[in-house]
Amino acid sequence: MAGRNFLFVPGPTNVPDRVTRAMMVAMEDHRSPIFPELTRACLSALKPVFKTTSAVPILFPSSGTGCWEAAMTNCLNAGDKVLASRFGQFSHLWIDMCTRLGFEVEVLETPWGEGAPVDRYLASLSADKQHKIKAVLVCQNETATGVTSDVAAVRQAMNSVKHPALLFADSVSALASIDFRMDEWGVDVCVSGSQKGLMLPAGMGVTCVSQKALEAAKSATSKRCYFDYGDMVTSNATGYFPYTPSLPMLYGLRESLAMIAEEGLENVFHRHTYLASGVRAAVIEGWKLKLCATAPKWHSDTVSAIMVPEGINGAEVIARAFKRYNLALGAGLSKVAGKLFRIGHMGDLNELMLLGAIAGAEMAMLDVGVKIEPGSGVAAAQKYWRNHAAGAKSGSAA
Ligand code: PLP
């Protein structure tokens, strides 16, 4: 098909040309005397992205899923109890993994479209007088439903009943796009990946581990080997890895972290809010459709999950967009399959790129019979951005 592919799934996201170029390197010796410079550059530039001075960033040759597994197996004893909430496919998959690894999970079932139910976390934690719950899991940004949760409030709930459990946060589709504060929020393990806000290909698990979690890992009895924090931390301290790292990914990460630092992390967050707000204007004011997120407090600044009207199959919108307009939209997963499609708005993006996605989604919806006004989404997004663009810099918003 002529023209370029428009990639608007909520990860993998567009890799900036600058990062792609940085990744085009000849292979080199990962045990050379100069290699530690690259390791240290990546790990030290990650700390401000996690907003930590005391926790330790770790890179695994995996995706985010590997970091979920690392969190569970490094910090917990076999069969330990954990507390988690399920409100979308990714919070579900983490719970499923915990069960398959033999942990006991107390699940707070929550309607899809809502976020972490802080009051119910509090109730479970305060009922747990014997402190059987060893870890509290929360998905900061549920990519399947476009819902952002309040991780800080979960930490407050834990503190208010002086619960000593570890706090694990999934920030796979939030880190480097939506504010995340490892130290301030008292997060013990943050789980993320390369292919979202970090603007890299998939293939690197990016995680960060508090001193408390590293201490727990010293005596935790769960079986692990490849994903052992201790091996990684010991090796990284010398500037090396316990096994062969992916050089292109490390060079790419160094470059993407440099881009984030140049734009300024807070500006990156601001740009995401501003761009997401334009998409939401297109959905709500332009198309008169609903988001899966049931209230503004849950709105995600990295992904919008858009409910299609009764009688329309969201999968047909996605197929039409892909086949006719070369536009990749995110699918409805599991419980919401067919009921919605998703526009990812995370990473290396600006208004005009998003207008392409909005226009394409609009045309695909019209083609499959959704009764929307042609141009209405594009107009609403433009209106939003024009009204809120005071001081906007080219390619990075107001
Ligand atoms: N958690 C969330 C919120 C995600 O969006 C994803 C993937 O999209 C994952 C976990 C799993 O990460 P990965 O696909 O990188 O293994």
Side-chain angles (χ1 to χ4, degrees):
M1 196 185 294
R4 62 168 303 163
N5 176 252
F6 279 66
L7 181 64
F8 282 88
V9 294
T13 62
N14 296 287
V15 176
D17 293 346
R18 195 173 141 183
V19 171
T20 304
R21 281 195 296 273
M23 295 181 72
M24 289 166 63
V25 289
M27 290 304 107
E28 58 187 84
D29 177 13
H30 62 289
R31 301 190 201 282
S32 81
I34 58 165
F35 191 80
E37 283 170 33
L38 178 60
T39 308
R40 292 194 175 116
C42 290
L43 295 177
S44 64
L46 270 171
K47 284 193 158 203
V49 173
F50 283 107
K51 295 199 172 169
T52 187
T53 52
S54 56
V56 179
I58 291 179
L59 303 170
F60 284 117
S62 71
S63 64
T65 303
C67 298
W68 276 346
E69 184 159 334
M72 307 310 298
T73 56
N74 276 278
C75 303
L76 302 174
N77 295 327
D80 271 356
K81 180 172 176 181
V82 303
L83 176 66
S85 52
R86 170 160 41 208
F87 43 80
Q89 181 64 1
F90 294 101
S91 43
H92 161 70
L93 286 173
W94 199 5
I95 288 167
D96 178 58
M97 170 188 275
C98 293
T99 310
R100 288 162 65 181
L101 289 171
F103 297 105
E104 182 192 338
V105 194
E106 180 177 335
V107 182
L108 304 171
E109 296 291 354
T110 306
W112 289 32
E114 295 180 15
V118 176
D119 48 344
R120 292 169 58 213
Y121 273 92
L122 177 59
S124 293
L125 290 163
S126 67
D128 180 33
K129 303 285 180 231
Q130 293 175 331
H131 296 160
K132 288 201 167 140
I133 296 168
K134 301 300 177 196
V136 174
L137 278 51
V138 59
C139 182
Q140 186 188 6
N141 191 74
E142 176 50 80
T143 322
T145 57
V147 159
T148 301
S149 288
D150 189 347
V151 178
V154 175
R155 162 51 71 194
Q156 276 161 19
M158 295 171 73
N159 288 353
S160 71
V161 292
K162 299 197 167 46
H163 202 293
L166 296 164
L167 175 59
F168 296 168
D170 173 336
S171 193
V172 171
S173 59
L175 190 77
S177 311
I178 295 172
D179 198 7
F180 177 83
R181 305 180 186 189
M182 185 93 190
D183 289 358
E184 190 182 318
W185 298 347
V187 175
D188 291 297
V189 180
C190 175
V191 169
S192 197
S194 52
Q195 76 277 20
K196 313 247 182 193
L198 292 171
M199 307 178 290
L200 290 159
M204 187 183 261
V206 181
T207 192
C208 194
V209 186
S210 74
Q211 294 299 331
K212 181 178 168 187
L214 286 175
E215 205 44 48
K218 287 184 187 157
S219 57
T221 59
S222 288
K223 293 263 182 286
R224 75 270 181 185
C225 175
Y226 192 66
F227 287 112
D228 191 79
Y229 287 162
D231 291 350
M232 191 58 95
V233 172
T234 306
S235 224
N236 284 172
T238 65
Y240 297 94
F241 285 82
Y243 33 69
T244 321
S246 164
L247 283 165
M249 289 298 281
L250 289 173
Y251 280 109
L253 178 62
R254 188 173 69 177
E255 195 68 16
S256 77
L257 292 170
M259 288 179 70
I260 290 167
E262 283 164 27
E263 183 174 350
L265 190 59
E266 302 306 315
N267 292 334
V268 171
F269 299 150
H270 191 85
R271 174 168 54 81
H272 280 79
T273 304
Y274 163 85
L275 292 174
S277 302
V279 175
R280 289 191 283 267
V283 175
I284 298 164
E285 285 147 41
W287 299 334
K288 319 275 185 226
L289 295 177
K290 286 196 169 72
L291 291 165
C292 183
T294 53
K297 67 173 175 176
W298 307 125
H299 284 170
S300 164
D301 285 342
T302 56
V303 52
S304 292
I306 299 148
M307 307 303 293
V308 293
E310 281 293 311
I312 299 285
N313 183 351
E316 282 179 23
V317 178
I318 295 161
R320 179 72 184 168
F322 191 76
K323 288 192 196 132
R324 173 68 184 82
Y325 301 109
N326 211 1
L327 165 66
L329 298 169
L333 301 173
S334 167
K335 247 193 204 180
V336 288
K339 295 185 180 160
L340 58 79
F341 67 88
R342 295 174 296 153
I343 298 180
H345 30 82
M346 140 177 48
D348 185 40
L349 279 180
N350 61 26
E351 296 94 328
L352 294 193
M353 290 165 80
L354 265 173
L355 283 172
I358 294 167
E362 197 163 280
M363 289 163 85
M365 281 194 284
L366 285 162
D367 290 350
V368 303
V370 182
K371 292 191 174 34
I372 53 171
E373 190 59 36
S376 57
V378 169
Q382 277 189 38
K383 227 177 268 170
Y384 179 88
W385 287 325
R386 286 174 53 79
N387 287 339
H388 293 83
K393 288 181 243 147
S394 159
S396 76

